Amino acid sequence: MSSSKNKSIAGASGSSRRERTIDIVNRRLAKRYRIEKRFRFYGLCSIIVSMVFLAVLLTSIVSNGYSAFFQTYVRLDITLDSAMLDRENPGKSNFQAIIKQSINKLYPEVEDRKSKRELYALFSSGAAFQLRDLVMRHPDLIGTTVSLWVPADDDVDMLMKGYIKRSVAENERRLSDRQLGWIDRLADQDRIEKRFNVTFFTAGDSREPELAGIWGAVKGSFFTLLVTLVLSFPIGLAAAVYLEEFAPKNLATDFIEVNINNLAAVPSIVFGLLGLAVFLNFFGMPRSTPLVGGLVLMLMTLPTIIIASRAALKAVPPSIREAALGVGSSKMQMVSSHVLPLALPGMLTGTIIGMAQALGETAPLLMIGMVAFIVDIPGGFTDPAAVMPVQIYLWADSPERAFLERTSAAILVLLAFLVLMNAAAVIMRKRFEKRW
Amino acid sequence: MAETTVIDDGKKSEAFVLSPEKLRRQRIAKFIGEGFLLVVASFVAVVVLFIFYFVAVDAIPFFQQRGFAEFFTSTSWYPADEPGEFGALAIIYGSGMVTIGSALIAVPLGISAAICLSDVLPFSVRQYAKPVIEMLAAIPSVAYGFFALVIFAPLLQNYGGPILMWAWWLIAGPFVLLAVIVVGDVLTSGNDDSSKRKTMRAVLTGVLSIIAVVFLYWAGSALNAIQILSGTNALNVSLILSFMALPTIVSVSEDSLQAVGRELREGSYALGATRAETLVKTVLPAASSGILAAVILGIMRAIGETMVVWMASGNSSHIPDPWYNYLDSIRTLTATIAGDMGEADQVTGSARYHVLFAMGLLLLVFSFFSNLISERIVVRQRKILSGE
Amino acid sequence: MKKTVTLAAFLLLLAGSLSVIGCGPKADQSEREGQATSENGQAGKKTQSARDYISIVGSSTVYPFATVVAEQFGKTTEFKTPKIESTGSGGGFKLFSAGVGVEHPDITNASRRIKKSECEKCAENGVTEVVEIKIGYDGIVMANSKRAEPFKLSRKDIFLALAKEVPDPNGVEGELVPNPYKTWKDVNPSLPETKIEVLGPPPTSGTRDAFVELAMEAGAKEFAWIKALKKEDKNAFKKISHTLREDGAYIEAGENDNLIVQKLDANADALGIFGFSFLDQNTDKIQGAFVDDVQPAFGAIADGSYPLSRPLFFYVKKAHVGTIPGIAEYLAEFTAEKAWGDEGYLTEKGLIPMPKEEREQYAKAAEELIVISCDEL
């Protein structure tokens, strides 16, 4: 403040040449309030910036991803010619040829080999497998004509969703003018439409975007988290109970506490190194399995669980403990029958949050071989599996345009899980938290 | 202790009786129970030491084979050559570059957001604002990486110049304006005559504002003309990392601002300070250690991040030219470990395998060290606030 | 009573946890209660049961093709879909040569032939019978945006434009100077006067290794003294031909080819380096440059006239055939005409097929599991 403040405070009333303190103060007041307003403005700005970023992030992912929940299907009339199908062994027949035949029927004017290849490229290679499944389940359909909705190729799908623009010159487009004409004909015949993309939720990974799904990754995540939960919850609980209730205040306890904090500080990639060299190389566990993934993630979630559990234990008031001791229980009894049940909701909340963190982890799993092309849905803990974040990472690298939207959709599904888990934790905390 | 009390009412009450038998059992149970818990808790602590030991054990052979000098001073990173070159300076520089870049963005943003949350905003708004910021923390790193690679990088490539220009105006604009006003105030406050001061201030502010606007415009146009060659660069990564570190900085700072307590604040208000003055002169200094700790934690988050840098930094191992050029691709320690492990010799010792552990060791040491400092600071702050 | 129960619960859970960590996994585990009670907590080395899926590792260039075959194989047979990891050719060989057994991979993909040292390493570790199958060819192209004129480059031009150090243009033989060329016209007067700007793969990429070997080495050898150097001092030769310039003309654009294509779209003067399959997938936006007067096209790569092409392989452990179900059938699927033939589905993904005779030769090798010997290499 300037020198004017040093003017006499004692000269309160009376002298008109000297300023009163209150006048000095008042003069500056307006300016100070202005500074205050600017300050508030800045603070608000930064919060708004974060919100704007979050909004931009989510909006871009949603706008890229929502179209993945729909897939373009084409209706084909397929004659299940008994001459082409082997009644004894329906699975071995050449379904690709049957599909090609039904396509040819729709476009009888397409003659030469090259044009035909262009035509077949409009339909997904999954169509043949779909037909195969149908015939194997209902062999009595052989000899009849069925009307089947098969997935269209991902380029057609992109066209129908507007990502491939007709207005662009032909040689800069992935679909030729002729192909566009064929697609239009399908539309005229009401044979092409967008339907809900169930495949996305029921299939495993695939090289063809229209056949790719996240179910394999979801199951893999589930198994991995289960392993993590089973291992980290008891250990975290026991460690927290010890540190809060039983640990004497000595150097050893300090040592343990410091190291638990350090565990939280270890970068995630180092856990990956650990998993690689210890679990894979030394113990020889199978690569790419939820078992090893869960073990690595267990180490990462332990600190979260321990810290949350300790907070929950601290929140239980001493009166409860004293009361238990007062009626004659031993310390162990007191902890297990009085303190633990009361602290359990808080511990569970922390565990859920820890699991949510583990669900989103990718880096350590990269190192233990979970970055692999795995099509089959995992059935157990030792089947090779991908987890959702890793699947997202793999798809993000693929060149096909259709994978872009599927990656965004997969991120949305992952975020949905995370939001659910965090919301569950918050609700649980609100319901069971008692204010002592 | 072992007292036989017989309450003679016909019933034999055994509730209060502790026979030597029961007592011994209870002691044993207590011993096993507590011992077991101790074992488990120590296991957790031991794991950390084990991680450290194990990374070091695999990192030391590298330094034995190749020495320290090359790793820390050379920028030639050619591990696949025979013989390989393992100069990791450029990679270390890259890690440092994005960490500092993200800190430059996240620290002011985070601290002001924390201040806003704890002192400025009304409680009802706080209820909504806090979960939003915590949501930023819940988003998995691969989603950030995807965003950085697929959406932000092309944006930078196509509209890099204009984006930089807009960011410049948005961020620097208010600060420059504020600086102008403050400078105007300071320069004219020496004068006592009220009306003269007012005119002087108006003139000075006017002149300074014109200079400021011209400066902003000139810098903005220069930025607009910049062509970003590759969208996957240090700027992209720094920006995304800053939003990942932000929630950490905000929560821990806010906690420490709250921990300052009502007494200090009320005291300041009682002396007639405005809210801003209370914040700047009283609360912030008191919470400064906690805020410093928050910043350190945020930095730790940024330096340990793998997915975003692997996907969006360009993975080019060189020191940008000039050294402050954030528009150039760089490579970080974490991305090198993740990327190179596939090619490295996994079975027996080779420099290529061990150098990755050396990098891991470097990261580990840095993290432990920062963690230690941050903890020290927090403990000290707690002591100061509660002790005084 | 309650405390005993709690204690027992703690101990049980811990025992379960430890036994899961210590013991190896069993193939039929799916219940965690089962894990806690049925294991005998042996810590230490694993006890692996038989794997019922094929484990494949190796090159990221072969990965797109192998995954397609694997998926087809999984869908059309009753075997499980093979698990394929993209570890890079070198990493794949390291894992492959570590030994025989269910914990080691069965097949490794490679974008180059196995080296003699790698073959010998296999033999040392008990992998004595290795079957080599060539699957086709891959071309490396330099592409630019379709909006500009296609480039016509010779390999000497490529070397001079991109090497870190080039022979002194002012003629002192045997002298190298830092690359002074700024525009393509500086390198070769017949080329346009545009700034040299090439986006290419980072050193971790197999494509980079292939590019450096096929284009840069050949270009360097156009200088007689460098060619002679190759015989005398291989390392020095490699240093000259493999080191790319770092002054901004060559930009390491990361592994994501999509971004490179976007950049090429925006900047018509820039060139990008990637595999032919990628060019093939993006013909709507980019076109390949002529190298030594040959345009990168299907036919030209297949018959070998396009100089920047390399064969792709995979290697199989004969010892695993029979133990791991489905390997023989997987080989059959890969070597069938409908997969790798001229009209096959791999061709549609951008693989350049081998000439018919070669296909028949390798199909036979796959069927009969003909083993290679290290001396052939």
Side-chain angles (χ1 to χ4, degrees), chain A residues 32 36 40 42-44 46 50 53-54 57 60 235 242 246 255 259 261-263 265 273 277 332 393 404 411, chain B residues 33-34 38 48-49 54 112 116 120-121 136 146-147 150 174 243 246 272 275-277 310 341 367 371 375:
Chain A
R32 285 157 71 196
E36 155 103 16
R40 219 199 286 199
Y42 287 134
L44 211 58
S46 16
S50 329
F53 178 76
L54 186 64
L57 182 73
S60 54
I235 296 181
Y242 176 75
F246 297 101
F255 176 75
N259 275 317
N261 263 317
N262 277 339
L263 189 60
L273 282 177
M332 192 55 111
Y393 166 70
L404 178 70
I411 293 181
Chain B
E34 288 188 27
L38 173 62
V48 177
L49 294 175
F54 151 78
S112 33
C116 204
V120 176
L121 286 180
L136 277 178
F146 173 75
F147 177 77
V150 171
F243 282 104
L246 196 69
R275 192 144 45 159
E277 286 164 354
W310 173 239
M341 194 45 104
S367 303
N371 198 31
E375 265 180 60

Side-chain angles (χ1 to χ4, degrees), chain A residues 325-373:
Chain A
L325 290 173
V327 291
S329 59
S330 69
K331 197 156 187 204
M332 192 55 111
Q333 278 178 321
M334 178 256 295
V335 170
S336 59
S337 65
H338 281 73
V339 179
L340 255 190
L342 289 173
L344 212 53
M347 291 179 165
L348 284 177
T349 308
T351 311
I352 295 177
I353 294 184
M355 291 297 115
Q357 277 178 0
L359 180 61
E361 277 297 331
T362 325
L365 301 177
L366 286 186
M367 314 274 285
I368 57 161
M370 272 179 137
V371 178
F373 180 70

Side-chain angles (χ1 to χ4, degrees), chain C residues 232-298:
Chain C
E232 299 159 8
D233 187 350
K234 201 156 184 200
N235 282 336
F237 172 73
K238 270 198 166 165
K239 190 137 191 269
I240 298 174
S241 55
H242 287 205
T243 318
L244 296 175
R245 62 198 297 187
E246 292 166 5
D247 59 354
Y250 179 81
I251 302 156
E252 283 177 21
E255 305 263 8
N256 192 310
D257 294 328
N258 280 331
L259 275 182
I260 301 183
V261 170
Q262 283 199 350
K263 188 60 213 164
L264 295 180
D265 212 19
N267 181 356
D269 291 338
L271 283 164
I273 301 177
F274 27 67
F276 176 76
S277 56
F278 205 78
L279 174 67
D280 202 40
Q281 301 275 358
N282 285 287
T283 48
D284 49 336
K285 296 212 181 81
I286 49 179
Q287 62 193 351
F290 288 70
V291 177
D292 289 349
D293 291 323
V294 184
Q295 195 181 24
F298 219 74

